[in-house]
Amino acid sequence: MSKLFVVFGATGQQGGALVNYILNHPDFSKQFRLRGVTRNASSNAAKELNEKGVEVVEADMDQPETLPAAVAGAYGYLVWKKASAAVEIAQGKAVADAAIAAGVSLFIWSSLPSVTKMTGGKVTTVHHFDSKAEVEDYIRGLPFHSSVFFMPGWFMQNVWNPLAPKPKILKDGRVLSGFAWSPETKLPLIDINDTGKYLAPALRDPVKYNGCRLTAATAFYTAKEQVDTWSAVSGKEVIIPKEEDIPLLTSDPIQQKLARPGTLLEEWGYYGPTGEKDLYWTHNQLDEKLTTWKEFLESNGPWFVE
Ligand SMILES: NC(=O)c1ccc[n+]([C@@H]2O[C@H](COP(=O)([O-])OP(=O)(O)OC[C@H]3O[C@@H](n4cnc5c(N)ncnc54)[C@H](OP(=O)(O)O)[C@@H]3O)[C@@H](O)[C@H]2O)c1
């Protein structure tokens, strides 16, 4: 009898990628059957899931009373979401509580480090990292047989993220990339479609990975490496904008704020001082090839076509 895995966020990027991974995997597809949770089972994304053979159920993490039915009978349980910090904390705790009540044994939480703790209180404004870390601490205090923490890097797919500043083609044909990072700033890049490759160890051996963080990125790429590869793949010269170029990229104040170099990335690093060591450890647990930035760009072009 296969075990039931419940995926919150199955209609989104991370959850959807994990669903596809399990459905296409020679062993996991036999070991697990999938239930995808959505707020709207009539959406196109939910219908597509259903057509792939995923059971689709409606529930809302903002309404804890809808959660027990969504998790009933589950062995494993995975959560991704997109919300403000306070909402995310409430949602995360509510789904963890529902999972404990349902007797779920493996709980996977899409987490990130606490920037406030990692910087000794010097950077306290990265709320969407801190909120995930707070939920992680809460989950660690619950009696799951195994809780595992997926720590995704910067999505390569952010090149299409509507919240992020878009690259701008200049009159001279060069292209300003979206972020005014200094050339040596390093970013851990993940093709989010690789999500399942990082979670495979936890699916295979939950007890071994109990309490572990799976740091999820193909590699750390400097901003200069990113634009140089983008230039080589696109055939256009892609350059890093200077701070004074930001108004050329976007007039949206939120996007302008995102485009500016931030203290976290420039001074501390996305995962903090242990990031490279943690990534090395995670890579040693994996047995599948990860998608490089170059491969991602090659398979998603053409780029900068007007
Ligand atoms: N972009 C990055 O570089 C990056 C890096 C690290 C971490 N993250 C984190 O990744 C998260 C977003 O993940 P994603 O991009 O995979 O998500 P996404 O594609 O935006 O999808 C969000 C998913 O969450 C579900 N959802 C939202 N609110 C819900 C609720 N109240 N109850 C039940 N389900 C709900 C949605 O389902 P329905 O709409 O079908 O209900 C959808 O499946 C954010 O927390 C972000 O901070 C992003």
Side-chain angles (χ1 to χ4, degrees), residues 9 11-14 38-39 60-61 81-82 132 153 155 158:
T11 56
Q13 298 193 85
Q14 298 174 65
T38 174
R39 289 161 298 175
D60 188 332
M61 291 190 278
K81 66 280 119 217
K82 196 175 203 166
K132 292 176 176 66
F155 299 0
N158 283 342

Side-chain angles (χ1 to χ4, degrees), residues 122-190:
K122 293 194 176 68
V123 183
T124 57
T125 50
V126 189
H127 304 300
H128 63 294
F129 277 52
D130 285 2
S131 57
K132 292 176 176 66
E134 184 174 330
V135 176
E136 177 180 327
D137 285 346
Y138 183 77
I139 293 164
R140 285 181 184 278
L142 295 175
F144 289 109
H145 286 293
S146 174
S147 50
V148 177
F149 303 96
F150 177 60
M151 315 292 284
W154 183 271
F155 299 0
M156 296 180 189
Q157 281 76 359
N158 283 342
V159 294
W160 304 302
N161 187 330
L163 300 176
K166 293 275 150 312
K168 169 86 179 174
I169 307 175
L170 300 173
K171 287 199 182 97
D172 63 9
R174 293 181 305 161
V175 179
L176 288 179
S177 72
F179 297 90
W181 297 319
S182 61
E184 296 316 316
T185 298
K186 284 183 177 175
L187 215 64
L189 294 185
I190 176 174

Side-chain angles (χ1 to χ4, degrees), residues 2 4 6 15 36 48 82 90 130 161 191 194 243 252 273 297:
S2 58
L4 174 66
V6 177
E48 275 173 34
K82 196 175 203 166
D130 285 2
N161 187 330
D191 177 346
D194 284 348
E243 276 206 71
D252 179 280
L297 292 172

Side-chain angles (χ1 to χ4, degrees), residues 7-17 37-41 43 45-46 49 57-63 66-67 79-83 87-88 91 95 109-112 128-129 131-132 150-158 161 187-188 190 192 195 216 270-271:
V7 182
F8 275 72
T11 56
Q13 298 193 85
Q14 298 174 65
V37 180
T38 174
R39 289 161 298 175
N40 177 10
S43 71
L49 276 180
V57 300
E58 279 189 1
D60 188 332
M61 291 190 278
D62 292 328
Q63 296 175 24
T66 65
L67 299 176
V79 182
W80 341 95
K81 66 280 119 217
K82 196 175 203 166
V87 170
E88 187 167 56
Q91 289 179 341
V95 287
W109 172 249
S110 180
S111 194
L112 282 172
H128 63 294
F129 277 52
S131 57
K132 292 176 176 66
F150 177 60
M151 315 292 284
W154 183 271
F155 299 0
M156 296 180 189
Q157 281 76 359
N158 283 342
N161 187 330
L187 215 64
I190 176 174
I192 206 61
T195 295
Y270 185 97
Y271 292 118

Side-chain angles (χ1 to χ4, degrees), residues 119-286:
T119 63
K122 293 194 176 68
V123 183
T124 57
T125 50
V126 189
H127 304 300
H128 63 294
F129 277 52
D130 285 2
S131 57
K132 292 176 176 66
E134 184 174 330
V135 176
E136 177 180 327
D137 285 346
Y138 183 77
I139 293 164
R140 285 181 184 278
L142 295 175
F144 289 109
H145 286 293
S146 174
S147 50
V148 177
F149 303 96
F150 177 60
M151 315 292 284
W154 183 271
F155 299 0
M156 296 180 189
Q157 281 76 359
N158 283 342
V159 294
W160 304 302
N161 187 330
L163 300 176
K166 293 275 150 312
K168 169 86 179 174
I169 307 175
L170 300 173
K171 287 199 182 97
D172 63 9
R174 293 181 305 161
V175 179
L176 288 179
S177 72
F179 297 90
W181 297 319
S182 61
E184 296 316 316
T185 298
K186 284 183 177 175
L187 215 64
L189 294 185
I190 176 174
D191 177 346
I192 206 61
N193 289 319
D194 284 348
T195 295
K197 296 177 188 172
Y198 295 95
L199 294 177
L203 298 179
R204 209 169 276 126
D205 194 346
V207 172
K208 177 175 173 189
Y209 291 95
N210 179 27
C212 291
R213 285 175 156 184
L214 293 163
T215 300
T218 303
F220 283 87
Y221 294 88
T222 66
K224 180 159 176 1
E225 283 166 344
Q226 291 174 51
V227 293
D228 286 351
T229 306
W230 218 346
S231 300
V233 171
S234 68
K236 303 243 185 205
E237 188 186 351
V238 186
I239 55 174
I240 302 170
K242 302 208 174 348
E243 276 206 71
E244 57 269 28
D245 296 329
I246 291 174
L248 293 175
L249 287 172
T250 172
S251 56
D252 179 280
I254 296 174
Q255 290 188 342
Q256 288 194 348
K257 189 167 173 238
L258 266 175
R260 282 192 202 103
T263 318
L264 171 65
L265 290 182
E266 302 280 334
E267 289 178 25
W268 299 89
Y270 185 97
Y271 292 118
T274 63
E276 305 224 10
K277 183 169 71 71
D278 295 341
L279 184 60
Y280 179 77
W281 179 84
T282 301
H283 282 180
N284 280 332
Q285 314 308 311
L286 310 184

